[in-house]
Amino acid sequence: MAAMILSRHKLSREAASMPDAGGHSALPRHVAIIMDGNGRWAKARRLPRIAGHRAGAEAVRRTLRAASKLGIDCITLYAFSSENWKRPEQEIADLTGLMKQFIRAELDEIHRGNIRLRIIGDHRAFEPEAAAMVDAAVEKTAGNTGATLVVALNYGSQDELTRVMRSLAERVRSGDLDPQAITPDIIAAELDTADLPPLDLLIRTSGEQRLSNFLLWQAAYAELYFTETLWPDFDEAALAAAVASYAERDRRFGGL
């Protein structure tokens, strides 16, 4: 079944990037994923939650390879939200350990693939070793010119927008910015995602249908795709199905 889905939906990068009648590409340039369902996956198997997170890390590896095959330019993963600090200390420690393990295991392959790593949110809130490893990974891949992998760490969209409003307010107070000159483009230029392509497709796994404080501004005209698949089960066929659904959408951006 997976092979059938892939053979039906998998497009070459050249064909998929051709615009449709409305001038929009059939292939999303920027895809974001809310990776949900690790805990439920583990619970269904009577395993500890950490087993679900480990399986989720494997799903990240599969998804990055699948995105590369499809020719997606930028993929953003919601790895740790600013609200996740409410979880038990042991789970936070487990997630931090997995993050460090992922960097050790995958960074060289990411770098060889000419992929640039970007972080949104405040990753320096993590323990010093983890934060330093993230900094080193970003620095190592900074000059890469291929696809971009964006990882949201200690990220919350409301916090991001609050920081932007404070920054603009300071500029207004200092006389550097006229309030009447504030436009959506001015705001977008202050966001954590300012140097990234506009968000085209936002995927959430596990059947939940909410954004959970993720890329609220950026998702204004993104296509939303919800799947019952739990994140540890997400694979190449699942990503191809989401991209195929996107290709069938009529993106009007408020027009006719």
Side-chain angles (χ1 to χ4, degrees), residues 49-50 53 79-101 123 125-127 130 153-154:
R49 286 179 63 85
I50 184 60
H53 294 312
F80 193 95
S81 79
S82 53
E83 288 74 37
N84 285 158
W85 295 108
K86 300 173 185 175
R87 295 188 178 188
E89 288 186 11
Q90 184 56 55
E91 182 167 355
I92 293 173
D94 289 341
L95 288 169
T96 303
L98 277 175
M99 178 172 65
K100 293 190 291 187
Q101 181 180 338
H123 67 281
F126 290 93
E127 48 100 342
L153 290 173
N154 189 28

Side-chain angles (χ1 to χ4, degrees), residues 105-214:
E106 301 297 322
L107 180 58
D108 286 343
E109 181 176 344
I110 288 171
H111 187 46
R112 284 194 300 270
N114 197 29
I115 295 170
R116 178 177 67 122
L117 176 64
R118 277 271 284 105
I119 303 297
I120 59 175
D122 181 15
H123 67 281
R124 291 178 180 84
F126 290 93
E127 48 100 342
E129 183 185 13
M133 290 179 68
V134 171
D135 283 333
V138 169
E139 182 178 358
K140 181 172 183 176
T141 64
N144 291 344
T145 57
T148 300
L149 167 61
V150 185
V151 181
L153 290 173
N154 189 28
Y155 172 87
S157 192
Q158 291 178 337
D159 173 72
E160 176 187 32
L161 291 169
T162 299
R163 287 187 280 108
V164 170
M165 296 307 110
R166 286 174 179 161
S167 174
L168 293 177
E170 288 294 335
R171 291 175 60 187
V172 169
R173 184 167 64 176
S174 69
D176 181 52
L177 179 65
D178 182 345
Q180 298 303 314
I182 298 175
T183 64
D185 286 342
I186 293 290
I187 294 171
E190 296 284 335
L191 296 172
D192 292 354
T193 55
D195 63 335
L196 301 175
L199 181 61
D200 293 314
L201 173 64
L202 193 152
I203 300 168
R204 181 167 188 152
T205 60
S206 87
E208 302 291 348
Q209 298 187 17
R210 56 180 177 271
L211 297 183
S212 295
N213 199 19
F214 184 49

